[in-house]
């Protein structure tokens, strides 16, 4: 039975109990399967109450973004380039046909420190913006926490000097994406009490100092910087601006007078798998359930069974979809790529004496030839190509290891959504 298969696993990792430096395994429960977690700075996460909170150095990030069950949140090093990220009265911010009221409402961090942006009576566009230096060829993620007020919509807009004529609209009443133009991707994630994190990504096409704007909007399909007449009363609520180099928004990084860098989650792993009787030298199975955002764009290892840099099995993301690779003696033995989105999917790989089978969402999708079998000694949730770090945001819900190559039928059961 399915439950018996789970109980027979030699290693089970879930967003479960943890302490500084450790994410405890469910199986085994004696500590031999616990993952080491290294991160040399604090960071924020969304806690079970749906609030943003700061966690300590080396504390695993168990994140509840979007509500429901948590995920293991693993992130690369990122820098919030915006100074005074939650001060909308700072001299680094410029107002254009808006009035700002600080400390107007309970914010996502459970403090009364969000601001209200109010459209004045001008028949014009209404925005608050800050200027930043952007580099040609770099991809940036723009994000803000926003809550509806009298207006139900918001628009995020970068400066034309580096990004051209682009924008993204967001519907704060229904929590859905609105129209957008000339961007890579956008997202809206629900927090508590009607707050949403809105974000979009775009690659700069020139080196310039230009603006990033939060724009009040009257519909989910507003054109860029649409004119309308405000009344000096109606507005929206905002908190926590972030601009970072990357392909998807990472956890909020508060700033004051200078940009702030959050270090990567590195060396998230458990070693000595064979001596701990978690894997055998010649066969095994691995199953992973991914969360809502393992990575939308880019290419990055997500989960790896590793003997060495030269010999490892990589379950990777490429452009948001699966890529499973076998590295053998510094060569690529196979490189399976799928069109199936990795987000909210299940993947399994079984191997026995050099033959590998890949299962995604309840189907056998690939069977390899016969290769030299390596004895994997480490499970890594970090990217060994970047000295233990990772290159994109990822969320993982469950990991199961078995000492044997499960049957096709068992693998199909374990990967069925």
């Amino acid at each position: 039975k399915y439950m018996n298969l789970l109980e027979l696993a030699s290693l089970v990792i879930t967003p479960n109990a943890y302490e500084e430096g450790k994410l405890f395994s469910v199986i085994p429960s004696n500590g031999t399967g616990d993952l080491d977690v290294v991160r040399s700075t604090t960071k924020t996460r969304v806690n079970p109450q749906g609030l943003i909170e700061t966690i300590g150095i080396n504390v695993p990030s168990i994140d509840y973004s979007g509500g429901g069950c948590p995920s293991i949140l693993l992130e690369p090093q990122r820098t919030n380039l915006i100074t005074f990220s939650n001060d909308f009265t700072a001299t680094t911010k410029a107002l254009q046909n808006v009035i700002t009221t600080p400390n107007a409402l309970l914010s996502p961090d459970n403090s009364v420190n969000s601001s209200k942006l109010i459209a004045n009576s001008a028949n014009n566009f209404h925005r608050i913006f800050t200027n930043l230096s952007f580099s040609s060829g770099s991809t940036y993620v723009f994000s803000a926490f926003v809550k509806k007020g009298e207006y139900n919509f918001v628009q995020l807009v970068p400066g034309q000097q580096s990004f051209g004529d682009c924008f993204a609209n967001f519907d704060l009443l229904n929590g859905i994406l609105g129209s957008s133009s000339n961007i890579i991707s956008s997202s809206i994630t629900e927090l508590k009490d009607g707050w949403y994190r809105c974000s979009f990504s775009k690659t700069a096409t020139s080196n310039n100092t230009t603006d990033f704007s939060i724009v009040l909007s009257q519909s989910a399909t507003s054109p860029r910087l649409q004119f309308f007449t405000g009344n000096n009363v109606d507005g929206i609520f905002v908190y926590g601006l972030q601009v970072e180099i990357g392909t998807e928004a990472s956890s909020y990084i508060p700033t004051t007078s200078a940009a702030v860098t959050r270090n990567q989650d590195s060396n998230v792993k458990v070693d000595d798998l064979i001596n701990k009787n978690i894997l055998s030298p010649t066969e095994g199975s691995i199953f992973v359930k991914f969360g809502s955002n393992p990575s939308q764009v880019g290419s990055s290892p997500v989960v790896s069974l590793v003997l060495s840099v030269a010999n490892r099995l990589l379950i990777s993301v490429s452009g948001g979809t699966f890529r499973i690779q076998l590295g053998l003696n510094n060569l690529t033995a196979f490189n399976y790529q799928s069109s199936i989105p990795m987000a909210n999917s299940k993947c399994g790989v079984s191997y026995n004496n050099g033959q590998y089978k890949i299962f995604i969402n309840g189907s056998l999708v690939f069977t390899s030839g016969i290769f030299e079998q390596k004895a994997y000694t480490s499970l890594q949730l970090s990217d060994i190509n970047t000295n233990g770090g990772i290159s994109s945001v990822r969320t993982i819900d469950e990991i199961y290891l078995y000492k044997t190559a499960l049957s096709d039928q068992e693998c199909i059961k374990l990967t069925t959504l």
Side-chain angles (χ1 to χ4, degrees), residues 279-286 305 313 349-357 373-376 401-406:
L279 283 181
S280 77
T282 60
E283 63 177 311
S285 304
I286 180 171
L305 288 178
L313 174 68
V349 182
S350 67
Y351 59 92
N352 189 355
N353 290 311
Q355 185 174 63
Y356 291 75
K357 293 184 177 182
Q373 182 64 63
K374 298 296 183 178
Y376 302 118
L401 292 187
Y402 293 81
K403 290 180 286 186
T404 60
L406 299 185

Side-chain angles (χ1 to χ4, degrees), residues 92-105:
T92 55
K93 309 290 194 307
L95 307 178
Q96 197 163 10
N97 304 310
V98 297
I99 305 161
T100 180
T101 302
N103 303 322
L105 193 71

Side-chain angles (χ1 to χ4, degrees), residues 135-188:
S135 299
S136 179
S138 293
T139 299
Y140 294 85
V141 188
F142 303 84
S143 63
F145 297 88
V146 192
K147 180 176 179 176
K148 70 177 289 298
E150 293 78 17
Y151 297 127
N152 296 327
F153 310 97
V154 68
Q155 186 178 88
L156 303 185
V157 182
Q160 287 181 304
Q161 292 90 331
S162 287
F163 297 96
D165 188 13
C166 68
F167 63 88
N169 286 308
F170 302 88
D171 180 340
L172 305 174
L173 176 63
N174 299 298
I176 58 176
L177 297 173
S179 63
S180 61
S181 176
N182 199 25
I183 63 172
I184 297 174
S185 64
S186 59
S187 69
I188 183 168

Side-chain angles (χ1 to χ4, degrees), residues 10-71:
S10 56
L11 178 69
V12 176
I13 299 291
T14 64
N16 194 46
Y18 59 89
E19 63 181 22
E20 181 181 331
K22 291 288 184 182
L23 177 60
F24 299 141
S25 62
V26 179
I27 298 173
S29 59
N30 61 3
T32 59
D34 297 347
L35 268 70
D36 295 321
V37 178
V38 176
R39 185 189 60 258
S40 56
T41 58
T42 62
K43 70 180 293 186
T44 65
R45 66 148 185 174
V46 176
N47 68 17
Q49 291 73 44
L51 300 170
I52 295 172
E53 69 174 9
T54 299
I55 58 175
I57 292 170
N58 297 334
V59 173
S61 181
I62 307 303
D63 190 80
Y64 290 78
S65 294
C69 297
S71 292

Side-chain angles (χ1 to χ4, degrees), residues 71-92:
S71 292
I72 303 166
L73 174 64
L74 301 170
E75 300 186 293
Q77 178 173 296
R78 290 284 179 87
T79 299
N80 188 356
L81 302 172
I82 287 186
T83 58
F84 299 103
S85 61
N86 194 43
D87 185 352
F88 294 87
T89 64
T91 57
T92 55

Side-chain angles (χ1 to χ4, degrees), residues 193-307:
D193 296 332
W195 283 97
Y196 293 93
R197 192 180 194 188
C198 304
S199 70
F200 75 96
S201 60
K202 174 68 176 176
T203 302
T205 56
S206 63
N207 299 320
N208 270 299
T209 298
T210 187
D211 54 88
F212 166 48
S213 301
I214 311 297
V215 185
L216 281 76
S217 176
Q218 291 195 307
S219 82
T221 58
S222 292
R224 186 179 188 272
L225 299 175
Q226 184 177 29
F227 281 29
F228 69 91
T229 301
N231 61 5
N232 296 308
V233 175
D234 295 346
I236 59 172
F237 298 96
V238 292
Y239 167 90
L241 303 185
Q242 189 152 305
V243 175
E244 55 194 308
I245 294 177
T247 55
E248 67 289 287
S250 68
S251 59
Y252 175 51
I253 306 170
T255 69
T256 53
S257 59
V260 173
T261 297
R262 179 205 58 244
N263 285 356
Q264 63 191 4
D265 295 299
S266 61
N267 296 319
V268 184
K269 62 179 181 176
V270 56
D271 292 323
D272 206 21
L273 297 176
I274 293 175
N275 287 337
K276 291 177 179 177
N277 200 31
I278 291 173
L279 283 181
S280 77
T282 60
E283 63 177 311
S285 304
I286 180 171
F287 299 88
V288 186
K289 181 180 183 295
F290 295 99
S292 60
N293 186 24
S295 179
Q296 298 303 314
V297 185
S299 178
S300 172
V302 177
V303 178
S304 309
L305 288 178
V306 179
L307 173 61

